[in-house]
Amino acid sequence: MSTTAPAPARPVPAAPGTPGSTHETDVLDALEAESIHILREVVAEFERPAMLFSGGKDSVVMLHLATQAFWPGVVPFPVLHVDTGHNFAEVIAFRDATVERLGLRLEVASVQDYIDDGRLAERADGTRNPLQTTPLLDAIEDNGFDVLFGGGRRDEDKARAKERILSLRDEFGQWDPRNQRPELWNLYNGRHTPGAHVRAFPISNWTELDIWRYIERENIALPPLYYAHEREVFEHSGMWRATGEFSRPGDGVPTVRRRVRYRTVGDMSCTGAVLSEADTVAKVIAEVATTTITERGATRADDRISEAAMEDRKKDGYF
Amino acid sequence: MSTTNLDTAADTAACDEAARGHAAPALGTRGLFRFATAGSVDDGKSTLVGRLLHDAKVVLADTLETLARTSAETGFGGGDGTLDLALLTDGLRAEREQGITIDVAYRYFSAGERSFVLADCPGHVQYTRNTVTGASTADAAIVLIDARKGVLEQTRRHLGVIGLLRVPNVVIAVNKIDLIGYDGQRFADIAADVARVAAGLGLPTPHVLPVSALRGDNVVERSAHTPWYTGETLLGLLESLPTRDEAAAAAEDFRFPVQLVLRPQGALAPGLDAEAFRDYRAYAGSIAAGTIAVGDRVTVASPGAPRRETTVTGIDAAGVRLDTATAPASVALRLADELDIARGDTIAAAGTLPDSSADLLAQLCWLSPAPLRPGAAVLIKHGTATVRAKVTAIEGRLDLEDFGLLPAASLELNDIGTVVLRLAAELPTEPYARHHRTGAFLVIDPQDGNTLAAGLIAERNSAA
Ligand SMILES: Nc1nc2c(ncn2[C@@H]2O[C@H](COP(=O)(O)OP(=O)(O)OP(=O)(O)O)[C@@H](O)[C@H]2O)c(=O)[nH]1
Ligand SMILES: [Mg+2]
């Protein structure tokens, strides 16, 4: 997998009854149709959409779906990345190459800038995930975005499992899980009062395994760290963490070289790698299909803090 | 994207040439089986789906660990057999604290040949709107009844909603069978009672089974305590319930609400040949019903304009040319003639679309705390069209006791009522019973934009 792969050639769907037309193909077709429907509805009904794009696999799949939804036109909105300043260099490189390849405008909301000029303070634990909310909300306001596409999936976390596909946020960016709008059939209602905005989650109903099967089917390029590679790592609260500029072992914690891959990609200071030999899409699919640990449980320190970590962040205006 | 003043002829041959890939047959329509829970508060819905996930062994190890820890903290014990399985779906802090479900939780799992989307819905009457949300897309509803309490008012309300939405499969789980000493006679009485209610509401014949969500009887494993029950377990049922017949679905009349016009002149995706796409113009949407093939004659209905006919010259799915496509595929259609077509218009198989009308008889499931009164001005979202409308009359509301229509001066929160609507523009509406996707609409508050009701078209009111 290279970071500058050409536009993927989409395989031709197989005829029903032929070997390619399995149950999995049906599920992917249904999910793809639903996601494209949502992307088109939102673009048709909102004035200023944007898409959150981090270079992580879910946002890569979501952006790919957008290229499908608006083909042969260019994706008709800019992408927004909230950069914690602690991202993996190869993911940032992938992000930039993708944006360039698709001819998109990239807005970056930089947590580092906020820390440098004192608008935000570094947390004691060094984690920057919770710090993303303010730059995100400012970027929404500065650009006048009335809707943001997010790559959240309901199977990621039990608070996300509760969220609507179109989710209203008040003028402070807050989510009120106790007072969500009914969402009926596939009729999405994105009306909102001035100042409020909407988050739209077109891949809500995809699982981690669906994402990987679709990546295989569509031959979608990803940052290389999603595949097994050798890396210098150290153990930290039960997870393998890469050594790097923003991620150093504590005193006396040894570093070792291991074959690892990432199941999720986020802030280096709180994203863990898993030991893995899966260096191809097919092997990753086999691994994900038989895993005994959830995606976030395996890789996200921030969500282990409490049962409600994600809910609390979302209520504050997080993705 | 402007849709008026067409000045270029659609050069379909060039577009066909430019579209990547070969001609391919229809996209599939099968795949996910969606089911939703319903029933009165505390009847055990969340515990039942938690039990289902747990015993079907689709809960991963770290989730189980967290579950055991939280169960211990909330006084459930937390050791083996004392897990509070409701916590697998009751994911909000307030839900854990109060021990009730507030909003729908979605979970995903596979068993046998099926991939399931499960929507665990609340029972509390205050959150009926969320249960309607969960049920609106369901292939099956599992309605729980507490074996000690039998059919309650809220059970009737949920059955009414399920009937209104025409959920194709209804399963009744008589739960907490452990608390009535696995009494087969009591089960039979409840089953008879619920069958009467279901028949009164016009529901499909329900599958009724005795379960204990807490202990696992007849959920995934057959129970030794209910020798008098010889039917399927819950999981067995879910794996075998019929899905919508695909052949029948494909044979429905083609319906295609236009979402957007794809006309990429000047903003072509990088890498495509500008020359080949100069005249490209296609109508994007998802197929609401039926099948379309290249060469088919279609009718175009635009609100407030005469009907037009043309021929489909191309079906594109992101660069793949299809010969045919079937609901619910998202595609883009190219047409032979230059017509003024915009979002909100409907493309349908020629000669199959009923006349458009501005007068509607509809059933509403009223989901707003503010009551609906005659004369109210609302917005109707039908397919991709949104039009202003006025409620000209309230014919009545559903009586949950004897299923008749009671006279009503207003519709209150959670009422199911029949109303007459006058639309600002004629729409090609059809009875929900015939076409789910073209018979459904939202009622929206024009002021704050909130969704006020789920609407279902009853029958054409000819008084135009
Ligand atoms: N003895 C017994 N108790 C049960 C059974 N099923 C559920 N319960 C208990 O009933 C209570 C309510 O269970 P929940 O699963 O939260 O009920 P619910 O229907 O999801 O409630 P809402 O979603 O708030 O409407 C809990 O204390 C459960 O432990 C059962 O089969 N037997
Ligand atoms: Mg519940």
Side-chain angles (χ1 to χ4, degrees):
Chain A
M1 286 283 150
S2 97
T3 57
T4 51
R10 182 187 151 122
V12 177
T18 62
S21 178
T22 59
H23 170 65
E24 270 124 52
T25 327
D26 293 335
V27 170
L28 291 182
D29 284 345
L31 291 169
E32 180 189 53
E34 178 182 77
S35 300
I36 290 175
H37 175 79
I38 295 162
L39 285 156
R40 287 170 170 173
E41 278 304 282
V42 168
V43 163
E45 296 222 326
F46 287 80
E47 305 266 309
R48 291 180 72 85
M51 179 175 279
L52 289 161
F53 182 68
S54 62
K57 69 180 189 315
D58 298 328
S59 67
V60 170
V61 164
M62 176 171 61
L63 185 55
H64 175 82
L65 287 161
T67 65
Q68 310 286 292
F70 304 103
W71 184 94
V74 70
V75 172
F77 42 75
V79 294
L80 170 65
H81 183 214
V82 183
D83 185 350
T84 61
H86 285 175
N87 286 293
F88 293 89
E90 55 263 60
V91 178
I92 298 294
F94 176 88
R95 175 198 75 184
D96 293 343
T98 305
V99 164
E100 163 110 35
R101 173 170 62 79
L102 297 176
L104 302 177
R105 178 163 72 87
L106 169 70
E107 289 285 335
V108 178
S110 161
V111 173
Q112 190 63 54
D113 288 353
Y114 280 71
I115 292 174
D116 289 347
D117 64 20
R119 280 176 290 170
L120 285 173
E122 195 87 74
R123 289 160 50 102
D125 62 7
T127 304
R128 286 187 172 180
N129 250 7
L131 300 183
Q132 296 180 79
T133 303
T134 306
L136 170 67
L137 295 177
D138 288 352
I140 292 169
E141 192 172 327
D142 294 347
N143 289 283
F145 296 137
D146 54 355
V147 61
L148 275 192
F149 290 108
R153 292 182 287 109
R154 286 167 171 163
D155 91 326
E156 275 180 90
D157 173 272
K158 47 186 169 303
R160 284 208 203 271
K162 294 271 165 183
E163 193 159 17
R164 297 281 189 262
I165 286 173
L166 254 60
S167 182
L168 240 63
R169 302 303 171 97
D170 68 14
E171 57 187 306
F172 306 102
Q174 298 179 110
W175 178 52
D176 182 1
R178 305 194 55 161
N179 196 20
Q180 298 193 88
R181 196 174 262 181
E183 195 161 79
L184 305 156
W185 301 288
N186 68 342
L187 297 173
Y188 300 101
N189 173 11
R191 280 167 190 270
H192 56 278
T193 47
H197 71 273
V198 171
R199 306 280 172 90
F201 299 102
I203 58 168
S204 284
N205 288 322
W206 296 56
T207 65
E208 184 185 14
L209 196 53
D210 296 327
I211 292 284
W212 278 103
R213 286 183 172 144
Y214 191 69
I215 286 167
E216 179 182 55
R217 184 179 103 173
E218 303 284 302
N219 193 18
I220 298 172
L222 288 183
L225 44 63
Y226 278 107
Y227 299 97
H229 57 285
E230 196 158 295
R231 191 180 276 268
E232 188 173 274
V233 292
F234 61 93
E235 255 189 299
H236 182 83
S237 57
M239 291 190 305
W240 292 102
R241 284 252 293 272
T243 57
E245 204 187 327
F246 318 113
S247 174
R248 300 240 170 267
D251 285 344
V253 178
T255 61
V256 287
R257 291 194 74 78
R258 287 280 186 279
R259 269 183 85 71
V260 297
R261 67 173 206 90
Y262 284 83
R263 280 176 77 182
T264 67
V265 166
D267 192 290
M268 259 184 109
S269 64
C270 65
T271 307
V274 294
L275 298 180
S276 173
E277 295 295 327
D279 54 5
T280 63
V281 192
K283 288 183 196 170
V284 171
I285 290 172
E287 186 186 282
V288 171
T290 54
T291 184
T292 57
I293 309 284
T294 62
E295 193 176 346
R296 295 194 88 82
T299 62
R300 288 297 175 93
D302 48 340
D303 288 332
R304 293 182 167 186
I305 301 166
S306 90
E307 275 267 77
M310 174 69 84
E311 179 180 343
D312 292 342
R313 284 205 305 277
K314 287 185 82 70
K315 280 179 178 163
D316 282 347
Y318 188 78
F319 305 139
Chain B
M1 280 179 238
S2 152
T3 57
T4 47
N5 301 329
L6 299 186
D7 49 16
T8 50
D11 183 345
T12 53
C15 295
D16 281 356
E17 210 44 56
R20 283 174 290 135
H22 315 284
L27 293 173
T29 58
R30 288 158 298 167
L32 299 166
F33 190 86
R34 299 173 191 249
F35 69 93
T37 61
S40 193
V41 67
D42 274 352
D43 282 354
K45 298 174 287 298
S46 302
T47 309
L48 182 67
V49 297
R51 169 61 65 190
L52 182 68
L53 296 168
H54 179 268
D55 289 7
K57 303 201 166 49
V58 294
V59 183
L60 298 186
D62 57 317
T63 308
L64 274 180
E65 265 171 46
T66 313
L67 177 65
R69 213 173 39 240
T70 315
S71 296
E73 284 162 13
T74 54
F76 234 85
D80 199 32
T82 53
L83 298 172
D84 184 356
L85 292 166
L87 295 177
L88 284 175
T89 54
D90 284 342
L92 298 175
R93 189 197 297 276
E95 292 178 324
R96 285 191 295 276
E97 285 169 5
Q98 297 170 42
I100 62 159
T101 304
I102 291 171
D103 211 329
V104 190
Y106 294 91
R107 298 271 316 206
Y108 305 83
F109 68 101
S110 298
E113 296 287 290
R114 275 190 184 168
S115 293
F116 293 99
V117 180
L118 115 64
D120 181 34
C121 302
H124 198 289
V125 64
Q126 186 184 339
Y127 303 118
T128 303
R129 65 174 191 277
N130 299 335
T131 304
V132 179
T133 293
S136 69
T137 53
D139 297 303
I142 304 179
V143 183
L144 273 82
I145 294 176
D146 185 329
R148 297 168 303 174
K149 299 179 183 161
V151 177
L152 302 173
E153 189 197 348
Q154 185 68 349
T155 321
R156 290 165 170 266
R157 179 172 290 116
H158 281 175
L159 286 169
V161 165
I162 288 160
L164 184 72
L165 295 169
R166 291 177 183 265
V167 179
N169 297 286
V170 181
V171 176
I172 308 284
V174 179
N175 188 33
K176 308 197 187 183
I177 199 86
D178 55 303
L179 295 181
I180 58 159
Y182 299 96
D183 178 350
Q185 187 53 50
R186 172 84 181 126
F187 169 76
D189 292 345
I190 295 176
D193 210 19
V194 83
R196 256 194 310 278
V197 176
L201 289 164
L203 290 164
T205 309
H207 304 263
V208 191
L209 70 165
V211 299
S212 168
L214 196 66
R215 303 187 182 277
D217 300 274
N218 297 325
V219 178
V220 171
E221 304 291 338
R222 296 203 63 83
S223 172
H225 297 115
T226 54
W228 38 266
Y229 175 72
T230 54
E232 293 261 29
T233 62
L234 179 61
L235 184 61
L237 255 183
L238 288 171
E239 282 178 321
S240 62
L241 286 173
T243 48
R244 245 153 74 81
D245 181 2
E246 267 180 74
E252 284 184 344
D253 294 332
F254 173 71
R255 298 288 183 266
F256 186 83
V258 174
Q259 288 187 290
L260 300 160
V261 184
L262 295 175
R263 204 167 147 253
Q265 293 82 347
L268 202 60
L272 296 180
D273 176 5
E275 197 50 38
F277 285 94
R278 197 180 49 215
D279 299 327
Y280 186 91
R281 179 183 187 89
Y283 304 96
S286 55
I287 302 176
T291 295
I292 189 73
V294 173
D296 282 357
R297 291 290 288 170
V298 289
T299 300
V300 180
S302 313
R307 297 267 168 99
R308 292 150 297 166
E309 278 207 10
T310 183
T311 303
V312 174
T313 54
I315 307 170
D316 295 338
V320 178
R321 267 176 52 207
L322 304 172
D323 289 338
T324 77
T326 298
S330 282
V331 294
L333 302 183
R334 284 178 276 124
L335 303 176
D337 300 287
E338 307 162 33
L339 302 176
D340 174 8
I341 299 175
R343 175 175 173 80
D345 295 356
T346 300
I347 300 176
T352 64
L353 206 58
D355 288 342
S356 294
S357 166
D359 293 284
L360 279 188
L361 183 69
Q363 289 182 296
L364 300 184
C365 184
W366 192 252
L367 303 172
S368 164
L372 173 74
R373 298 191 202 286
V378 294
L379 292 172
I380 298 296
K381 181 167 187 182
H382 172 258
T384 55
T386 302
V387 301
R388 294 194 165 273
K390 198 174 221 165
V391 179
T392 45
I394 297 176
E395 305 263 286
R397 67 177 175 85
L398 180 70
D399 179 356
L400 290 170
E401 287 304 319
D402 70 0
F403 320 116
L405 206 59
L406 291 173
S410 63
L411 289 186
E412 310 288 327
L413 178 65
N414 302 329
D415 276 350
I416 294 171
T418 304
V419 301
V420 181
L421 294 162
R422 173 83 186 165
L423 309 182
E426 294 185 340
L427 292 179
T429 55
E430 297 172 82
Y432 183 80
R434 211 150 66 82
H435 273 298
H436 276 27
R437 294 267 300 272
T438 51
F441 62 91
L442 303 183
V443 181
I444 295 172
D445 185 328
Q447 253 75 53
D448 63 14
N450 279 328
T451 302
L452 300 173
L456 306 99
I457 291 149
E459 67 177 50
R460 182 55 54 75
N461 184 340
S462 52

